[in-house]
Amino acid sequence: NMLKNRKRLTVSKSMNQESVFNTVYANRDESFIRAIVDQNVTAYSGSRLRIRLLDDLFAGRFLIRKGTYLYAQVSGFTGQRVNLSITSILQGEQILPVRLDVYDNDGLPGLYVPASAFREFSKELGITTSQGMNLQQAETNSQLVMSLLQKMFQSTSTAVKKLIRQNKAKLKYNTQVYLIDPEELRNNQNNY
């Protein structure tokens, strides 16, 4: 895998001066980088999502100011979540290699999407099947039953093909997220 071998800059939140006077504990929960989803989008695997920073951050020695746009890529779907990661930041003339995972504010990786394609898909199938059954009971003509079953099978297999081709979920503008460097997270968790 190309990404595994390439150099990556460590990303951390830029702490402002006043935080120096606070205790370590007061600051603990403020260490994640905050950002918001900056567009309404129907996300497919591989599609990109614009994210706006709410905090300053350092990528290596480069300061990235809040308000900067970053672009996350949809890396997959699990359960009712859309997994997103940021692998580079464009800063002036520099393209900075990073690895930031997008976390939802429930503390889990990926964005939680309640009305996900999975649920809608199974609902659709349920409706098709029950309509088919009722018609079957009402109709004794076996040829009609056969053609109904065939139609059901076709529509199901088309739906499955479509779903495999386009897992998708609607992501909302202004959803707050956290950007977390998995390396940093591991290091922090070792100190708990």
Side-chain angles (χ1 to χ4, degrees), residues 51-87:
I51 288 176
R52 194 170 79 237
L53 280 178
L54 297 180
D55 291 314
D56 293 347
L57 64 84
F58 278 106
R61 59 188 173 80
F62 297 92
L63 175 66
I64 315 312
R65 290 268 173 218
K66 69 178 172 194
T68 302
Y69 290 121
L70 306 181
Y71 293 91
Q73 202 166 26
V74 176
S75 53
F77 294 79
T78 50
Q80 289 190 10
R81 304 189 82 83
V82 180
N83 299 323
L84 295 148
S85 56
I86 296 167
T87 52

Side-chain angles (χ1 to χ4, degrees), residues 23 31 55 71 80 85 111 145-146 156 190:
T23 66
S31 62
D55 291 314
Y71 293 91
Q80 289 190 10
S85 56
L111 283 183
V145 170
M146 284 315 290
T156 306
N190 287 339

Side-chain angles (χ1 to χ4, degrees), residues 3-4 6-12 33 57-62 64 70-72 85-91 95-101 179-183:
L3 288 179
K4 277 205 169 67
R6 70 173 195 165
K7 180 181 155 70
R8 272 212 327 250
L9 299 173
T10 304
V11 177
S12 58
I33 299 158
L57 64 84
F58 278 106
R61 59 188 173 80
F62 297 92
I64 315 312
L70 306 181
Y71 293 91
S85 56
I86 296 167
T87 52
S88 62
I89 297 173
L90 182 64
Q91 172 76 341
I95 291 177
L96 310 175
V98 296
R99 166 69 195 274
L100 287 170
D101 291 336
L179 308 181
I180 296 177
D181 186 328
E183 293 282 306

